[in-house]
Amino acid sequence: MRPRPPAAERRAVRRAGLAALAAAALALSAACGTRLPASAFSGRPTATAPTAAPIKIGIVTSTTSPVGGSTFIGPRDGAEAYLAMVDAKGGVNGHPIQVITCDDGGSGVGNTSCVHKLIDQDGVFALVATTSLDYAGAPYVSSKGVPDVGGQPIGTAYDTYPHLYGIYGSDEPRQGTPGWGGTLYGGTEVYRYFKEALGARTAAVVYYDQADSARYAGQIMAGLRTEGYRVVPEQVDFALPNFPAVAADLRSHGVDLLLDAMDTHGNAQLCRAMQDAGVKVAAKVTNVQNWDSSVPSDYSDAPGCRNALWVTGSSRDYDDSSNAAVRAFRSGMAAYAAKNGGSPAGLSQWQLEGWAAAMWLTDAMSGCPSADSAGTGPARACVERFIQRPQPYDARGLLLPVSFSRAASPPRTARTCLSVARWQDSADGGRGGWLPQGPDMTRNCFTVPQLPYRP
């Protein structure tokens, strides 16, 4: 059996986690670490003098939403920076790139309005790095055959519709229902990693007494139990969480691995309670939304807990400056910030993934001839052939290899890989940063079971 595309488990956990937090209307203030001003993302065309018809690229983002104004903008920022760089170098096959952004407000109605505007009025060729709380317009995008490349799978749209290509790949049928007949699958590689790398055996999962948070926590606990962990559930009241009691319970159970289904504010409170009680764990595991440079401020009251933060994902650590592709990303973000009057200080993993998404789309377009003799740009069918090709795509090594297929049935097991980093205050000359943990993500792979769940 062909290996399942990497990161199925992270995709599942990320989708479920954001749904849980969104349903509770939580403020995920640290989810994406952009520090660019709003004026940097006005959606205006770049200044390159056109030599052929521009290729219009749309980016739909829940720039404003019930879960916080900066939660979802990282992928947009990274994609805009990459497309600006490409445009400054002459565009794609002589065509300048015109980026048109739309804020859907985090609502299904707003999202549907955005996709109609971009497709029907603006005439975009493709979408890239879509990051929407409620991707209600996905059926329309699919029906129009508009490629949507490198979007973040917050909901189930990228598991459901053709012409939509999530940043982590898929082997699901995508014929109008999520996954296989409404059932999705995720692996246990994250829990396997910490079991083997740190010898973790007792894991606690902290979650709110709220339906979506509890459902997400249930998925985590099922994966942990499958990997043989002793699991300690820790439910807290959403309105008045008693984190000191949780900290005491962590100590009494000898917990060495800590996971959660909470927002950043709740995690910071939990860390403070743990520090006050002198409770330490081998790893407090977070996800890619919190893989950013705002950790020192988010956890300012709990440096001990801060240094226990680990993160897993499917892309190369944005802080790994030893990698040439990461250096190019960091340089590109700094140049774009400077051009638009911002500061390059705040970076995030979601920005890197948005950069990779735009690279993926432009690589696909670059290999396609113009659709007609008038030189109006590439053909969508050609772009989709590139994306659906058998050879996995890795965005110059920034992504774990991504591919798309249509498996008739879900796999029972799969070999999947993951990237891992941990926060250290001592990194970057004492400024703090995420240190990649070996082995390299392309070799940090496990054959694990695939567990079913309903979205």
Side-chain angles (χ1 to χ4, degrees), residues 73-130:
I73 57 179
R76 177 205 67 185
D77 297 355
E80 285 222 73
Y82 187 83
L83 293 172
M85 180 187 71
V86 171
D87 191 66
K89 294 179 179 179
V92 175
N93 297 334
H95 293 270
I97 296 175
Q98 179 179 349
V99 177
I100 306 173
T101 62
C102 190
D103 172 17
D104 66 16
S107 74
V109 171
N111 184 265
T112 299
S113 176
C114 271
V115 300
H116 276 277
K117 174 186 178 295
L118 292 172
I119 294 172
D120 301 335
Q121 298 178 31
D122 299 319
V124 298
F125 172 78
L127 302 178
V128 71
T130 300

Side-chain angles (χ1 to χ4, degrees), residues 67 72 131 133 143 149 182 204 230 255 270 272 288-289 327 342 347 360 366 394 416 445:
V67 294
F72 298 108
T131 311
L133 181 59
S143 72
V149 180
R230 182 167 68 94
V255 168
L270 173 59
R272 176 61 183 269
V288 71
Q289 286 91 6
R327 290 197 301 274
L347 292 174
W360 195 1
S366 295
D394 69 357
T416 51
C445 306

Side-chain angles (χ1 to χ4, degrees), residues 136 191 292:
Y191 319 123
D292 62 25

Side-chain angles (χ1 to χ4, degrees), residues 4-8 189 414-418 444-448 450:
R4 183 173 175 81
E189 61 270 22
R415 183 165 177 78
T416 51
C417 308
L418 68 159
N444 192 26
C445 306
F446 306 89
T447 299
V448 295
Q450 300 294 301

